[in-house]
Amino acid sequence: MSQPKSPQKNPSKGDVRSATQIRRDFLDFFAQRGHREVPSSPVFPQDDPTLLFTNAGMNQFKDVFLGTGKRDYTRAVDSQKCIRVSGKHNDLEEVGHDTYHHTFFEMLGNWSFGDYFKAEAIPWAWELLTKTWKLPKERLWVTVFGGDEKDGLPRDEDSGRIWKETTDVDPSHVLFFGRKANFWEMGETGPCGPCTEIHIDRGGLDTDPRDGANPKIGVNAGSERFLELWNNVFMEFNRLDDGRLVKLPAQHVDTGMGFERIVGVLQGKRSNYDTDVFAPIFARIGKLAGKRYGSGDEKADIAFRVIADHVRACTVAFADGALPSNTGRGYVLRRLIRRASRYGRQALGFEDPFLCEVAPAVAETLGEVFPEIPQRMEHVQLLLRAEEESFNKTLGRGLVRFGELATRVEKSGKKALDGGEAYELYATYGFPRDLVELMARERKLAVDDKGWDAAEGAHRTKSKSEGKFKSGFSEATLEAMRGLPATTSTYWEPGVRSYEVETVIIDVYTSAFEGEAETSVSVILRESPFYPESGGQVSDRGVIEALDGSISFQVEGLARSGEHLLHRGKVKLEDLDALTTLKGLSVRARVDRKARDRTRKNHTATHLLHKALKLVLGEHVAQQGSYVGPDRLRFDFSHPKAVTPEALERIERIVNERVIDNARVDHPEKSFAEAKASGAVAMFGEKYGDRVKVLDVGGWSLELCGGTHVAAAGDIGPFVILSEGAIQAGVRRIEALTGAAAVEHIQHQKKLLREAARALKASVEELPQRIEQLQQQLKDAKKKEKESAKGDVAGALEAVRKALRPIDGLQVGIAALELELESLRELAGRVKTLAPDLAVILLGQDGDKAPWVALSQGAALTRGWEARHAAAFLAPHLGGGGGGKPDLAQGQGQRAAGRAAALEAFQRAPKAAFSKA
């Protein structure tokens, strides 16, 4: 058989469609067929704890498929930002080593929510591929679900018939496969259904056309020649925790086409990485590295692909508001940065941070369709640089750890590193497996593969995140809620109904949420004045009480499931039976008005604060998170450095000026497009519907927000900033108070000032000068004490000389001295002159603390008497800690009273003080 060729002759340059054009082709094709073009949701789902990242186009419609939500349209199309790195869809280890795997990718998709089904989806898919994009029909193959005996599912004859009757696909190119290949499931649980996939044969015209059905080299055989282009999933079922399949309330269509893959096919490229999606990024990497992608250096090419992919993933995630951390999605992003950084250093010769310099090329390729990326580029670059600089430090520690492991193995006479310990170099320090293996080979060692694989498997099991597809509610509750009337929220309404309403109980559930105890109760009302937690604002609390006085239920929180609000609280076990029979009971639902009013003040104040931050610090400031409750407000925002006290004062003053102006606060509802056109600021990473609420504070602050707010800015009362600080690189946090809480804080501060003035025998106005005088007096006293201590060093040297004793030709000793750490360090320099081969510990005293210095030199050091081990020897007696090098170490004990015990222990076993425990 001859070598495979491209699926079509390379078209002339004028015929090649750009990636941007291809994306627009797809969106327009379905928009012309009644589909609503919707924006991509953020690349990480803020309201779904079961997913680290958005890993499929259907994630944002999860509630629709589960029957817990709906949209005002039944057909949709979009290009969704996705990241797949763990769980079922784990592509990370392949990224860079092949030419088609990615962690970040765009998923082109069209959906039907209980509208059209197979009869429309199949011929449309064929039309787009063969008429709009003119792919050769003879190279296209179709797969259909062939049934599954275990699940009791028959063969999908409908799809097979529709393919053959409504399209001109070659009937011999329609193949049936089992559940593994053609039954799509999000994970272990959740919406699922049979699917039909379209594959393309990338072989040449002189290959055997029957190869597509060959189970060894054909479709679904893992061959790079036959490439899956498009998956059309027909959502009909929901898989429960026990593995059973139940019918969904409606039939849906969910399709997904990898954007990078279809661009590669349409541009006649064998590799996704050879398209104009990646060309600008490769050009930037090449310019920085002084190398060219595709020059014949395979190791360099792998590094190019790893860096380009991982920078895309991190840039998109950071632009959406994700942050690097040591847990969850933040840890995944940190691993991507370290993996890309290592490849850049290992294969391309980078030494300084470089990923932050590549990121603008990502904005060049994605900025048009995802404008938040160029808008937040400064913030993205700051995070990338900080992470790379941190990894440079971690890299050094990792190399030290590898050296320790390798040395121990060499001394033991073994030939392989323990697999579990070697894996920790990857998990803790970000060393790729191939790097660990390379470093081991340099020392003529191997890596225990089985141990590595076992440790990696345990780590994946522990951090697995994509297997479950749940709403957070129990399946029984979800099933019971289907068909119930929607809850009408009244917290928007003017007057008393925003706080209190007479209504009827629609349903009551015990243990409505996964893992809840039986004392937890959830109530659904016909109308509700309660605000459910959203956008940083906490849920209202309050009470639901029967009009006849028969029952009273404390509302401790709320949860939303589609159109229903569940009012949550706890009751005594003996009251459970009575509660579950209360359907139809007339009740009064009443919000804790004082708590709501305090929350409203804090919420409106966060919007004024956001605006003030932009005015004082710059337009780069963007919200990264918030907490708005009745007790306080917290506002996280992007900014590269600490806010100066002067800037904080100005910010606080601007907010209070707006409060004093007492501008009217309007909260109109508008279409999302209209709101954006009016200049309203949308929060990065938030998912908005077609209709949004706009918070307008006198035309000065204009932002999208669905929370509760004051009627006029003056209702906020005094605004006081409590603190400002960093929560990580590039992200700052301000905590503040409003209203009565702010007044209380101001009064408390005044009280402290009065007490301080009284203690220092000065007026409040004189406090700064008086404190400065006391600081100078203290400084002078310390200087005098140090000068006195210097005179003691000479006397201390003699005490150390007397403490030394010979042990196997070495001079060894410990001395208890009345010196602080700085004097001990000076003394250590003189002690070195007492003998060429010595090991000494100097114990000082500084109040109730016990500073110490240990040193070793000459033959003592070569025989293994290492000063760095003194910390572990002294800790049981002195507490505290310390560290250093084999020849010199220092530390500070917390208990000076333990010096006598340390001296006694040293006399019993002096070598132990300089040896590893």
Side-chain angles (χ1 to χ4, degrees), residues 594-840:
K594 289 184 178 180
R596 162 80 75 80
D597 286 347
R598 291 195 296 269
T599 301
R600 289 164 61 233
K601 296 175 190 292
N602 287 335
H603 201 161
T604 307
T606 62
H607 290 267
L608 298 182
L609 173 61
H610 192 191
K611 177 70 172 182
L613 286 166
K614 286 178 174 289
L615 288 175
V616 175
L617 304 180
E619 285 298 320
H620 66 278
V621 168
Q623 181 176 342
Q624 289 293 134
S626 67
Y627 164 85
V628 179
D631 53 335
R632 70 188 190 287
L633 69 89
R634 185 185 71 221
F635 193 81
D636 301 339
F637 59 98
S638 54
H639 188 60
K641 57 186 178 182
V643 183
T644 65
E646 294 76 17
L648 280 177
E649 286 182 5
R650 187 180 169 199
I651 292 163
E652 189 178 72
R653 183 168 60 252
I654 289 173
V655 174
N656 279 299
E657 286 172 352
R658 291 295 158 178
V659 171
I660 294 170
D661 286 347
N662 196 27
R664 175 179 170 178
V665 176
D666 292 316
H667 213 180
E669 183 178 283
K670 299 181 179 181
S671 69
F672 181 75
E674 183 185 2
K676 289 287 289 181
S678 70
V681 176
M683 299 300 109
F684 288 109
E686 284 287 345
K687 182 173 68 177
Y688 296 100
D690 297 308
R691 303 292 298 177
V692 294
K693 284 279 188 176
V694 178
L695 182 73
D696 181 356
V697 185
W700 185 76
S701 172
L702 201 64
E703 297 184 344
L704 303 187
C705 184
T708 59
H709 292 276
V710 297
D715 296 343
I716 294 171
F719 171 83
V720 176
I721 293 177
L722 295 178
S723 63
E724 187 277 338
I727 58 173
Q728 68 176 90
V731 182
R732 311 295 298 181
R733 170 172 291 173
I734 282 179
E735 297 207 23
L737 300 173
T738 65
V743 172
E744 184 178 344
H745 175 76
I746 294 169
Q747 291 178 335
H748 179 65
Q749 294 294 304
K750 290 173 66 177
K751 180 181 178 183
L752 291 177
L753 283 172
R754 289 195 303 270
E755 291 176 351
R758 185 166 55 250
L760 295 177
K761 297 181 172 56
S763 66
V764 170
E765 289 74 15
E766 294 171 338
L767 272 177
Q769 182 181 355
R770 181 68 177 125
I771 292 172
E772 186 177 345
Q773 290 174 349
L774 290 173
Q775 288 175 329
Q776 185 61 46
Q777 291 173 11
L778 181 60
K779 183 178 180 181
D780 293 342
K782 285 185 175 181
K783 183 178 180 181
K784 186 176 181 180
E785 183 181 348
K786 286 183 178 180
E787 290 175 351
S788 176
K790 287 182 179 179
D792 294 338
V793 170
L797 182 63
E798 186 60 28
V800 175
R801 188 196 307 275
K802 292 180 179 179
L804 295 176
R805 58 189 173 107
I807 298 179
D808 296 333
L810 309 176
Q811 291 295 314
V812 179
I814 186 170
L817 310 161
E818 302 305 313
L819 298 177
E820 37 73 48
L821 185 59
E822 185 177 343
S823 296
L824 287 179
R825 285 198 291 258
E826 181 182 344
L827 175 61
R830 300 188 186 187
V831 168
K832 290 181 179 180
T833 65
L834 296 180
D837 309 310
L838 57 76
V840 178

Side-chain angles (χ1 to χ4, degrees), residues 240-450:
L240 305 181
D241 287 332
D242 60 8
R244 290 183 299 115
L245 291 176
V246 297
K247 280 281 190 179
L248 288 170
Q251 294 178 322
H252 311 287
V253 174
D254 164 26
T255 86
M257 178 192 295
F259 173 67
E260 292 77 7
R261 185 170 291 187
I262 190 62
V263 170
V265 169
L266 293 175
Q267 293 183 355
K269 306 295 185 181
R270 296 292 292 186
S271 165
N272 299 349
Y273 289 97
D274 292 338
T275 66
D276 62 345
V277 172
F278 288 91
I281 305 175
F282 285 162
R284 182 61 178 161
I285 297 170
K287 184 176 180 180
L288 293 170
K291 297 188 178 184
R292 182 174 61 84
Y293 179 69
S295 62
D297 184 342
E298 180 58 23
K299 288 185 177 179
D301 285 354
I302 290 173
F304 268 88
R305 292 193 291 266
V306 168
I307 292 166
D309 174 87
H310 292 2
V311 170
R312 287 202 334 146
C314 292
T315 297
V316 171
F318 291 160
D320 272 348
L323 296 170
S325 69
N326 288 325
T327 58
R329 65 175 62 98
Y331 179 60
V332 172
L333 297 172
R334 180 163 283 165
R335 281 175 54 202
L336 293 182
I337 292 171
R338 291 180 174 184
R339 187 170 187 257
S341 182
R342 265 308 315 164
Y343 273 92
R345 284 161 173 74
Q346 189 178 352
L348 301 181
F350 286 112
E351 294 181 0
D352 297 324
F354 65 94
L355 300 178
C356 54
E357 302 300 327
V358 178
V362 178
E364 180 183 339
T365 61
L366 295 178
E368 182 178 341
V369 65
F370 306 124
E372 64 275 8
I373 296 175
Q375 290 172 12
R376 304 208 70 193
M377 185 48 58
E378 182 181 355
H379 174 67
V380 169
Q381 289 184 287
L382 178 70
L383 291 176
L384 287 170
R385 178 178 292 278
E387 283 297 305
E388 275 198 275
E389 290 173 345
S390 174
F391 179 53
N392 284 344
K393 300 173 185 177
T394 303
L395 176 62
R397 294 196 296 270
L399 291 173
V400 170
R401 177 58 177 158
F402 172 81
E404 292 174 346
L405 294 177
T407 300
R408 193 172 71 204
V409 171
E410 290 166 344
K411 287 183 178 180
S412 71
K414 297 179 180 179
K415 298 296 183 182
L417 295 174
D418 177 86
E421 293 182 328
Y423 178 74
E424 284 305 310
L425 292 170
Y426 170 73
T428 303
Y429 302 104
F431 284 25
R433 185 171 186 167
D434 55 356
L435 174 62
V436 178
E437 292 171 343
L438 174 64
M439 292 191 300
R441 285 197 298 273
E442 290 173 349
R443 296 184 65 153
K444 295 181 170 52
L445 298 173
V447 176
D448 170 24
D449 288 335
K450 290 184 178 178

Side-chain angles (χ1 to χ4, degrees), residues 565-592:
L565 281 183
L566 282 82
H567 304 71
R568 306 175 64 183
K570 288 184 170 59
V571 297
K572 296 178 182 178
L573 286 172
E574 56 266 29
D575 293 336
L576 279 176
D577 291 339
L579 278 171
T580 55
T581 61
L582 297 180
K583 291 183 184 179
L585 182 68
S586 295
V587 295
R588 179 180 293 105
R590 187 172 67 249
V591 170
D592 181 337

